[in-house]
Amino acid sequence: MVIVGQWLEGLDGVLRPMIQVRVRGLDGSPIEDAFLVDVGADRTVLSGHFFTGLRLPSRLPDTGMMLEGISGKCTFVWINAPLELISILGRDVLNNFDVSSAGRAMRSCC
C-alpha cells in the first residue's frame, strides 16, 4: 500500500513522514492536522492540544494502564473519534478493483 503524505520538519529540525487527518469535533465541525505515520505504533495517539480542540467526551482507562513508547510511559484518556484520512485508499476500497500491471490484470490481494 502506498501512503500519500509528505515529509514535514518538526520543531526539532527532523523530517518525519506525515499525513493530513480530519477529525470531527463535538459540534460536528472538522478539525484537520498533520499526523505522524508510525507503522510500528500499536495505538493512534492525539496530542493534548489537538484533543482539547475537539472537545470530545473522554473516559479514563483501567487503573494502572499507561502508554509506553521509546521515551517512557505516560497517562492517557480514551476517546471515540472517527478519523477521516485524506488521500488514502485502504484495502477495504482496493479489494473491489482489479489492478493492471504490465498489461496483465491482477486481483488486488492484500
Side-chain angles (χ1 to χ4, degrees):
M1 174 175 293
V2 174
I3 298 174
V4 179
Q6 56 189 330
W7 289 86
L8 296 178
E9 185 175 338
L11 297 174
D12 58 1
V14 176
L15 290 173
R16 292 183 176 87
M18 308 289 279
I19 60 170
Q20 290 299 118
V21 175
R22 188 178 302 137
V23 182
R24 299 219 175 259
L26 184 61
D27 64 358
S29 63
I31 300 173
E32 191 172 306
D33 201 4
F35 278 48
L36 173 67
V37 176
D38 184 349
V39 296
D42 292 327
R43 298 284 182 254
T44 299
V45 179
L46 306 178
S47 71
H49 178 73
F50 190 73
F51 165 71
T52 301
L54 294 172
R55 298 180 315 204
L56 291 172
S58 63
R59 65 179 174 84
L60 295 172
D62 295 336
T63 303
M65 287 185 73
M66 306 266 300
L67 287 179
E68 185 172 5
I70 194 160
S71 61
K73 294 181 180 183
C74 67
T75 58
F76 68 97
V77 295
W78 294 106
I79 66 167
N80 185 12
L83 305 177
E84 298 175 18
L85 303 176
I86 302 167
S87 298
I88 295 179
L89 288 177
R91 186 176 36 167
D92 58 335
V93 172
L94 296 176
N95 281 344
N96 296 302
F97 295 92
D98 287 330
V99 177
S100 177
S101 174
R104 290 187 325 192
M106 301 183 326
R107 182 75 183 149
S108 178
C109 65
C110 304

